[in-house]
Amino acid sequence: MKLLRWGPKGAEKPGMLDGETVRDLSGVIDDLSPATVTLESLAKLRALDPASLPAVSPGRIGACLSRVETFHAIGLNYRLHADETGNPWPKEPIVFAKAASCLAGPDDTLVIPKDSVKTDWEVELGVVIGRATEHVSEAEALGCIAGYCVANDVSEREWQQERGGTWCKGKGAPGFGPLGPWLVTADEIPDPQALPIWLKLNGKTVQDSTTGDMIFSVAEIVSYLSRFVRLVPGDVIVTGTPSGVGLGMKPPRFLAPGDTLELGIEGLGIQHQTAVAYPG
């Protein structure tokens, strides 16, 4: 299934993609939320006949989840990305968090934060957890996943790398977590390590890779995180970005007002964002 949220910001409704038609799920569930992306809830949605649901003209597409319980993230998880930043390949996953309040729609305007000088792009595979999970083995880890989505782990590099402390301050500004357009259930993605992933800046491809370049696979990441935290339905894990970020360019290139981003993952849809200056 391809599930989505549609409508004005703050008033989105849940939907299901039926071919090219968006079907309204609001008569079945209130929203796509941690409570409705459990494996059990998704099984009930899968049993529906999409043709029995009203067709709608969606207009704006919102984030594919109404909220995120915890926004986990993995750093330096593509071999060529680690290389371009001059870092050794990690021996264990680098774990950080994004503020849950950074959640945004896939095509929402990207506001460059006030005082930012190094806002950067990172197309990533997003993983949505579908059942409570602790100490899960790698062999069983994929069975804990509700679905996958496109994510942009927008990052402010000065705040991330030059201001001391953890990476988190450079990762969680408002709008720094676009998710969607769809939540694609895990049964439609038999191998999350075989997905083409790409991003265009102003129409030019700057990131072009596959999830096969990950240092730690999705199964390894879910298993690893579950040793330290209890993963719960509605948790999102963004799993690292391929090479081609602005930080890795020579000279580095960061976002400016008017820049456009188009990013996607095969089977998971495409996002479009335009960068604008902070108001005022």
Side-chain angles (χ1 to χ4, degrees):
M1 291 183 295
K2 292 181 173 66
L3 304 173
L4 67 150
R5 299 173 64 250
W6 57 278
K9 190 177 294 189
E12 295 93 341
K13 295 182 179 181
M16 175 187 293
L17 195 63
D18 176 21
E20 299 296 319
T21 302
V22 175
R23 302 284 182 176
D24 184 2
L25 276 173
S26 61
V28 181
I29 56 174
D30 292 336
D31 210 336
L32 289 174
S33 67
T36 58
V37 297
T38 65
L39 300 183
E40 296 78 10
S41 295
L42 293 177
K44 293 177 182 178
L45 294 180
R46 197 172 288 111
L48 296 172
D49 176 8
S52 69
L53 303 169
V56 295
S57 298
R60 174 184 174 272
I61 301 297
C64 59
L65 289 171
S66 62
R67 62 185 177 89
V68 171
E69 287 293 307
T70 303
F71 213 139
H72 305 278
I74 306 298
L76 294 176
N77 193 36
Y78 282 69
R79 296 171 180 86
L80 293 179
H81 174 56
D83 292 346
E84 75 175 344
T85 59
N87 287 287
W89 297 359
K91 292 182 171 59
E92 296 189 31
I94 296 172
V95 178
F96 62 95
K98 293 175 71 73
S101 59
C102 78
L103 188 65
D107 301 331
D108 289 349
T109 298
L110 175 57
V111 178
I112 298 172
K114 183 179 180 181
D115 301 324
S116 167
V117 293
K118 295 182 179 180
T119 294
D120 203 351
W121 56 85
E122 294 191 15
V123 60
E124 305 204 8
L125 174 64
V127 174
V128 180
I129 297 297
R131 72 171 174 86
T133 303
E134 293 180 80
H135 300 287
V136 68
S137 68
E138 288 180 27
E140 297 177 333
L142 296 185
C144 304
I145 294 172
Y148 301 92
C149 61
V150 181
N152 189 354
D153 176 22
V154 186
S155 306
E156 212 299 340
R157 301 301 190 183
E158 184 196 33
W159 302 352
Q160 175 190 355
Q161 298 184 341
E162 301 172 36
R163 302 290 292 273
T166 70
W167 287 8
C168 300
K169 66 169 70 73
K171 295 286 189 170
F176 271 29
L179 294 182
W182 315 314
L183 171 61
V184 180
T185 52
D187 58 296
E188 292 201 10
I189 307 296
D191 184 0
Q193 304 310 138
L195 302 175
I197 180 170
W198 54 270
L199 181 145
K200 295 180 181 180
L201 172 66
N202 298 329
K204 178 183 177 182
T205 299
V206 293
Q207 293 190 273
D208 188 11
S209 186
T210 78
T211 53
D213 190 43
M214 285 185 184
I215 297 168
F216 303 103
S217 69
V218 171
E220 289 175 295
I221 290 167
V222 172
S223 176
Y224 182 84
L225 281 175
S226 77
R227 299 181 207 170
F228 307 104
V229 299
R230 185 171 189 255
L231 300 172
V232 299
D235 277 358
V236 170
I237 308 167
V238 289
T239 53
T241 195
S243 60
V245 300
L247 178 67
M249 294 181 175
K250 295 182 176 29
R253 162 68 156 93
F254 300 110
L255 288 173
D259 282 339
T260 61
L261 298 173
E262 180 179 300
L263 52 147
I265 301 174
E266 186 173 283
L268 302 184
I270 298 173
Q271 298 187 0
H272 303 85
Q273 291 126 31
T274 299
V276 300
Y278 189 85

